[in-house]
Amino acid sequence: MTFPTSSFRPNRGPALSPGARRTVLLIIAIGFLAIVVVPWLAGFATDWLWYNGIHFESVFLESLIARGVLFAVAGIVAFAFLYGNIRWARHGATGVPALYLNRGDGVAMDVSHLVPRLLFIGALVVALVIALVASTQWMSVLMALHGVPVGQADPLFGRDIGFYLFRLPTISAALTLLVVLTILSLVTAALLYGTHGAAVFARHGATIEPRAGRHVGALLAVLFLLFAVQLWIVDSSALLYSTTGPLVGASYADVHVLLIGIRLSAVVAVLAAALVVYGVLRQKLLWFAVLAIVGYAAVGFVFRGLAPAAEQKFVIAPNELARERPYLQLHIAATRRAWRLDSVVTRDLEGDVQLSIADIRANAPTIDNVRLWERDLLQQTLGQLQEIRTYYDFVAVNDDRYMIDGKYRQVHLSARELNTAKLPTRNFINERLTFTHGMGITMAPVNQVTSEGLPVLFIKDLPPVSTVSIKVTRPQIYYGELTNSYVFVGTGQKEFDYPAGDKNVYTNYTGRGGVPIGSFLRRALYAWQFGSTDILLSSYLSRDARIVYRRNIAERAQAALPFLRFDGEPYLMVTDSGTLKWILDAYTSSDRWPYSQPMPDGTNYVRNSVKVVIDAYDGTVDAYLADPGDPVVQTYAAIFGGIFKPLTAMPADIRAHLRYPADLFRMQTALYATYHMVDPDAFYHREDQWQYPGVEKGTPNGNPYMRHIILRLPGEKSPEFIFMTPFTPSGKDNLAAWVAARMDGPHYGQLVAYRFPKQSLVYGPKQIVNRINQETSISQQITLWDQKGSSVIRGELLVIPIEESLIYVQPLYLRSEGGTIPELKRVVVAHENRVAMGETLEDGLAALFGVPAPAPATIVATDSGAAIRVPGSVAGAATGASADLLREAQQHYDRAIAAQRAGDWAAYGREIDQLGAVLKQLQARRQ
């Protein structure tokens, strides 16, 4: 684009006829509808149907309305401000030059008439972008409007912390938007005035017409005022998250130098705006504008850059602790409050306590629930023994506790989910209509093994068979961790339920999950949404058909509650009525708690305020308020109405299985390793810094000693389910403390730190591992197994608190050469400086404490027919009474194991049934 010269022949160019113009506009409109409007409407309709189906309409409507209003308001304001300034600049300009476009053939096209249109389109595009960006801030705006007070003031400005959590982000975003609009308008106006001759820059000086000067001056003055407001509110508040000193939060230099510099810069910005206005009135804008800009920049450079840095280096650094002590106190207190570390109960242990066999027997519930099976090894074993068919998978193994036959037991539980990627034939009928759900669970006690070193299973097989008091009455799993595809239920095609020998059992879905899809319009919508013409053309989809989608529980929960964060370990439980429910821990969080130490992602405040329960059969989503005192969740409740239920409304059988969330416990304990020190001097010098014990082998979370366990806490009367981790002093291997999260009854959510005396030596995990490695009998046995070609797998070292002391337990597994199933073969037990090994935990404990070992274990079976080791005295009584029956039981067991290994599940079932009958006869004779 150039100005015309004598070599060009001006030409307005060919113009489109009215008919052609209408055709082009029609094509553009149709394209816009096909590419933008129709997909958006389809997505809108299907989302509404889904949210309506799970009764979370308020989340959908509130977000939709907020996005729409923000889009409209921000777009209108941005366009009006930007284009208004453009029009003002164009009308105020004189001597508009003609603009020509060189076509390259000596002819220049006059394009001056296109400039207004281009400016209009440019303003419209910028406004559209700003509107889209603003609409993404819908949650921040709603939180600013509905935010509740926290009831605690920040220590620097005295504002309620709710101001920083809820309102400051929106204020900052709004000011940023206005600054961007003002700068764009200022630059555009200056360019228009310059190209139109209203502003001239030459060697001998610069001039600007009065009208142009008033316009540019007004924009520049507004910009300085916006800078002043940003400095006074946003930049000063940012000091509460500063990292200048040895802490997060405003340090000595921030409070005594930088804050003064920020406020001085704000005042200078106001003076700069006044100076610009004065320059406009004196018609010397350019000179005064340069003076204002230079003065503002100079003050900022000196008082917000040089002065704080000099203060930090030459005044504070030589006397840092003395200067920063009060700010360290603020930082410690804020971090403990934000992460709820201030509620941790601390108890001191005696430390140097020698346990006896009497202590072990007094803590029988703990010993009876020592977790001998690692979850990853158990998952591998279940994959070999219980997947039954290739298209089933066990995705994860979770710990939980149940009252089983009158005893409080810790168990492993895993869901058998359907993996459609492994179907032998993949097509629309199989993937969408026939194979629609997983089937059942496996449940295993954490401490029992068969004679083969395999886990005992309380619940197993297809359909699920239970040998204990827990029964699964509705085993179908339509919603799970692996499930992530849409299916149709209530169709003309029977759904595969489970295999039964050479035949298959089929079922029809009777739940409430999914969206009705009987009408042609809805089928068309979902055909478009999922890109499948089969949805529209299939004759199997009757008027009663329903489409079930968003079946992955993490995705489902996140879609229903998009403003919450979710723990990475959802878990499945069996209700008293036998149904399956998924429980997900949801977090409210913020990165705006003043003075609080953040995680690497910036989060410095977290609460596990919501427990989400999803029915594995019909996908019902229920959100319960677990921490109603959390101001963030109170704000969400004010925004979205009645989506949260009180925790008291949660059924008691589900509430009994709530766990302390693993991710939160990891974050809290990682911080507590430092922030258990409340004295600023000790904190500054890290005098009592803790760390997780040295890791002997890598794990995903970096701490293999963090685990669930049932035990009786020191000073308590009853065993309870806890989550615990030990700590060692920084750089050392002996134990310093262990922290437990309590999960049962009225103590749920309480964190307790048990501290060992600093003057006593309590062996830590790494020291115990070294002692185990030095034990000759253990190393010889491992070497012998290795020489035979088997692979020895050393389990994670278990730290088991007993009374005010500890024992360590490490299971040893053996995997045969070329085998895939690990078998538990030995259990190593350690206390203080003593180490012993036995075939069972009981044998190891007996050897460790120097008492006679239990009578040799005899292989018999439980009521389930699963063979296990039982004390010889029990088996002996049975043998003396009925040797023939015991031999018959052993024969049935051997045949069942052989059938299991061969994959002949029909024969396996027959042998187990016969074994159960023999055991009942044995039990009757003993009585």
Side-chain angles (χ1 to χ4, degrees):
M1 186 175 296
T2 62
F3 294 106
T5 66
S6 59
S7 62
F8 290 131
R9 299 192 302 272
N11 189 341
R12 299 288 292 186
L16 292 175
S17 66
R21 191 174 299 172
R22 285 194 294 270
T23 301
V24 171
L25 292 176
L26 180 61
I27 293 173
I28 293 174
I30 292 174
F32 182 76
L33 287 173
I35 297 174
V36 178
V37 177
V38 173
W40 183 85
L41 288 176
F44 169 84
T46 53
D47 281 346
W48 166 253
L49 291 171
W50 186 81
Y51 279 98
N52 184 61
I54 64 170
H55 307 297
F56 275 68
E57 303 95 329
S58 63
V59 174
F60 179 78
L61 291 175
E62 287 288 346
S63 64
L64 180 68
I65 293 171
R67 290 173 194 268
V69 170
L70 280 175
F71 182 89
V73 172
I76 291 171
V77 169
F79 180 78
F81 189 84
L82 189 56
Y83 192 64
N85 279 285
I86 290 173
R87 286 185 61 87
W88 184 271
R90 287 188 64 246
H91 290 166
T94 60
V96 179
L99 300 177
Y100 294 90
L101 180 65
N102 185 3
R103 299 198 315 187
D105 57 357
V107 177
M109 294 179 59
D110 184 0
V111 294
S112 301
H113 63 287
L114 296 178
V115 172
R117 297 178 187 178
L118 292 175
L119 290 172
F120 177 85
I121 292 172
L124 193 62
V125 169
V126 171
L128 180 62
V129 171
I130 289 176
L132 288 172
V133 172
S135 67
T136 63
Q137 302 299 311
W138 64 276
M139 180 53 72
S140 294
V141 173
L142 289 178
M143 294 184 75
L145 295 174
H146 296 87
V148 301
V150 173
Q152 178 180 347
D154 79 88
L156 187 57
F157 303 107
R159 303 188 188 109
D160 186 270
I161 291 178
F163 171 81
Y164 305 98
L165 297 182
F166 308 125
R167 293 177 178 82
L168 184 60
T170 299
I171 293 172
S172 177
L175 288 171
T176 300
L177 171 63
L178 293 175
V179 167
V180 169
L181 283 175
T182 305
I183 292 175
L184 288 174
S185 299
L186 181 60
V187 171
T188 304
L191 288 174
L192 285 172
Y193 285 126
T195 57
H196 290 70
V200 178
F201 298 90
R203 293 180 180 178
H204 57 274
T207 61
I208 186 169
E209 293 182 356
R211 179 184 174 93
R214 289 193 295 271
H215 186 194
V216 173
L219 289 173
L220 188 56
V222 168
L223 184 62
F224 275 123
L225 292 176
L226 289 172
F227 285 159
V229 176
Q230 277 189 320
L231 286 163
W232 197 267
I233 298 177
V234 179
D235 289 21
S236 62
S237 297
L239 296 180
L240 296 170
Y241 318 101
S242 169
T243 56
T244 301
L247 60 121
V248 173
S251 62
Y252 185 92
D254 294 325
V255 174
H256 292 85
V257 181
L258 184 53
L259 179 58
I260 295 173
I262 290 173
R263 289 179 170 171
L264 180 60
S265 292
V267 172
V268 170
V270 175
L271 294 176
L275 195 62
V276 169
V277 173
Y278 181 75
V280 171
L281 296 177
R282 293 289 304 274
Q283 296 187 4
K284 294 182 180 180
L285 171 64
L286 295 179
W287 192 89
F288 283 100
V290 170
L291 181 62
I293 293 171
V294 171
Y296 173 75
V299 169
F301 178 73
V302 172
F303 291 97
R304 287 189 285 146
L306 291 180
E311 177 79 8
Q312 182 68 35
K313 183 174 182 179
F314 299 111
V315 178
I316 298 173
N319 307 282
E320 190 172 55
L321 179 57
R323 300 281 187 174
E324 302 289 9
R325 185 177 285 111
Y327 304 103
L328 283 170
Q329 289 179 322
L330 295 175
H331 169 66
I332 294 169
T335 300
R336 289 171 60 87
R337 170 75 187 274
W339 291 97
R340 194 160 277 176
L341 303 180
D342 55 347
S343 62
V344 177
V345 177
T346 58
R347 296 179 182 174
D348 293 324
L349 301 174
E350 293 184 14
D352 192 14
V353 175
Q354 294 292 324
L355 295 177
S356 66
I357 194 65
D359 295 316
I360 300 299
R361 290 168 179 164
N363 287 270
T366 300
I367 302 301
D368 291 344
N369 287 285
V370 171
R371 195 175 95 179
L372 299 180
W373 274 100
E374 292 187 19
R375 296 195 295 188
D376 56 343
L377 295 180
L378 180 62
Q379 184 178 349
Q380 297 173 26
T381 303
L382 294 178
Q384 295 296 318
L385 302 180
Q386 282 291 303
E387 283 183 359
I388 314 297
R389 294 287 178 91
T390 58
Y391 41 76
Y392 287 125
D393 272 341
F394 291 100
V395 180
V397 176
N398 294 303
D399 291 282
D400 207 345
R401 70 286 198 195
Y402 288 83
M403 289 298 297
I404 298 178
D405 299 325
K407 292 184 178 180
Y408 197 44
R409 301 291 301 271
Q410 183 175 346
V411 298
H412 292 303
L413 189 148
S414 186
R416 185 184 292 104
E417 297 196 49
L418 180 71
N419 187 347
T420 55
K422 294 183 178 180
L423 289 174
T425 304
R426 300 186 64 186
N427 53 43
F428 181 77
I429 300 297
N430 277 351
E431 291 188 64
R432 309 302 182 191
L433 305 179
T434 305
F435 292 89
T436 57
H437 57 273
M439 187 63 179
I441 63 170
T442 58
M443 180 182 288
V446 296
N447 66 325
Q448 288 182 245
V449 295
T450 69
S451 62
E452 304 295 322
L454 300 176
V456 170
L457 300 178
F458 285 164
I459 301 177
K460 60 183 179 179
D461 297 342
L462 289 173
V465 176
S466 174
T467 61
V468 293
S469 54
I470 300 172
K471 308 296 179 184
V472 179
T473 59
R474 196 169 65 190
Q476 292 82 4
I477 300 175
Y478 284 84
Y479 301 84
E481 292 184 87
L482 178 64
T483 306
N484 200 23
S485 60
Y486 67 92
V487 296
F488 298 91
V489 296
T491 68
Q493 174 70 21
K494 291 285 188 179
E495 298 176 54
F496 172 79
D497 204 26
Y498 60 89
D502 297 331
K503 298 181 180 179
N504 292 330
V505 176
Y506 292 86
T507 187
N508 285 318
Y509 183 74
T510 58
R512 298 172 295 168
V515 175
I517 197 175
S519 69
F520 177 82
L521 177 60
R522 289 194 177 186
R523 289 172 66 174
L525 281 173
Y526 283 102
W528 179 283
Q529 185 74 8
F530 292 109
S532 173
T533 56
D534 291 325
I535 298 176
L536 199 59
L537 302 176
S538 176
S539 60
Y540 289 100
L541 300 183
S542 62
R543 296 196 64 83
D544 295 328
R546 306 171 74 88
I547 182 171
V548 183
Y549 61 107
R550 284 183 182 152
R551 299 197 296 146
N552 179 277
I553 55 171
E555 177 189 342
R556 190 174 185 84
Q558 193 67 73
L561 301 160
F563 42 85
L564 298 178
R565 296 170 54 182
F566 286 87
D567 192 85
E569 296 185 23
Y571 49 100
L572 188 66
M573 55 84 56
V574 184
T575 66
D576 290 350
S577 62
T579 60
L580 302 178
K581 304 279 189 180
W582 292 100
I583 302 177
L584 297 88
D585 287 289
Y587 302 118
T588 56
S589 61
S590 177
D591 58 359
R592 292 284 179 169
W593 191 279
Y595 273 98
S596 176
Q597 179 69 30
M599 289 286 107
D601 65 353
T603 301
N604 66 3
Y605 170 89
V606 169
R607 291 290 185 270
N608 175 215
S609 295
V610 180
K611 302 285 186 179
V612 178
V613 178
I614 299 179
D615 190 286
Y617 186 71
D618 61 26
T620 302
V621 180
D622 293 306
Y624 297 92
L625 277 180
D627 187 357
D630 170 30
V632 180
V633 84
Q634 289 176 7
T635 300
Y636 289 144
I639 294 171
F640 297 109
I643 63 171
F644 297 119
K645 300 177 181 179
L647 194 61
T648 54
M650 179 183 288
D653 55 340
I654 298 178
R655 190 169 181 177
H657 292 275
L658 295 181
R659 298 190 332 197
Y660 199 86
D663 289 346
L664 177 60
F665 188 67
R666 293 186 187 105
M667 290 186 288
Q668 287 179 310
T669 53
L671 287 167
Y672 194 72
T674 301
Y675 289 88
H676 69 277
M677 296 179 286
V678 294
D679 178 71
D681 289 43
F683 180 90
Y684 180 82
H685 295 296
R686 298 298 195 265
E687 294 176 3
D688 193 20
Q689 178 77 35
W690 296 345
Q691 65 182 25
Y692 292 135
V695 178
E696 184 69 16
K697 63 175 186 176
T699 59
N701 62 28
N703 182 8
Y705 308 109
M706 185 178 293
R707 64 183 60 252
H708 296 93
I709 186 173
I710 288 179
L711 59 79
R712 181 168 61 83
L713 292 171
E716 302 293 336
K717 297 181 179 180
S718 303
E720 55 188 283
F721 191 58
I722 67 165
F723 200 22
M724 65 89 65
T725 185
F727 286 102
T728 63
S730 179
K732 297 184 179 180
D733 296 327
N734 60 289
L735 274 193
W738 56 277
V739 176
R742 306 176 73 176
M743 303 193 198
D744 289 348
H747 301 297
Y748 175 85
Q750 184 183 79
L751 296 180
V752 187
Y754 294 90
R755 301 181 299 192
F756 294 106
K758 295 180 181 180
Q759 65 274 15
S760 63
L761 174 63
V762 178
Y763 286 101
K766 191 172 183 179
Q767 294 168 320
I768 295 296
V769 168
N770 291 335
R771 296 198 66 84
I772 292 174
N773 293 336
Q774 295 166 4
E775 182 64 31
T776 305
S777 60
I778 297 175
S779 59
Q780 288 177 344
Q781 181 64 69
I782 292 175
T783 302
L784 180 62
W785 280 330
D786 285 334
Q787 290 174 348
K788 292 182 178 180
S790 298
S791 174
V792 179
I793 303 172
R794 303 183 65 162
E796 294 173 354
L797 187 67
L798 310 177
V799 182
I800 313 295
I802 300 289
E803 300 297 341
E804 295 201 2
S805 188
L806 301 166
I807 63 170
Y808 290 89
V809 176
Q810 185 176 46
L812 300 180
Y813 309 89
L814 200 63
R815 181 182 284 138
S816 61
E817 185 176 6
T820 57
I821 302 178
E823 300 174 1
L824 178 62
K825 287 300 182 184
R826 295 290 187 274
V827 180
V828 179
V829 187
H831 172 61
E832 295 294 337
N833 59 352
R834 304 194 306 275
V835 179
M837 181 174 70
E839 289 192 13
T840 65
L841 177 60
E842 292 77 10
D843 292 343
L845 288 171
L848 184 70
F849 290 102
V851 298
T858 301
I859 305 303
V860 298
T862 64
D863 293 341
S864 65
I868 60 172
R869 295 183 177 91
V870 298
S873 57
V874 176
T879 303
S882 180
D884 292 338
L885 284 175
L886 190 57
R887 281 194 296 271
E888 183 181 354
Q890 187 67 48
Q891 291 170 359
H892 286 305
Y893 166 73
D894 291 338
R895 288 196 289 268
I897 291 298
Q900 183 186 53
R901 289 177 173 173
D904 187 351
W905 298 105
Y908 173 80
R910 288 194 299 271
E911 294 297 335
I912 289 298
D913 290 340
Q914 294 174 20
L915 179 57
V918 173
L919 289 175
K920 288 182 180 178
Q921 296 179 47
L922 275 171
Q923 187 176 10
R925 286 177 176 265
R926 288 181 60 197
Q927 292 174 346

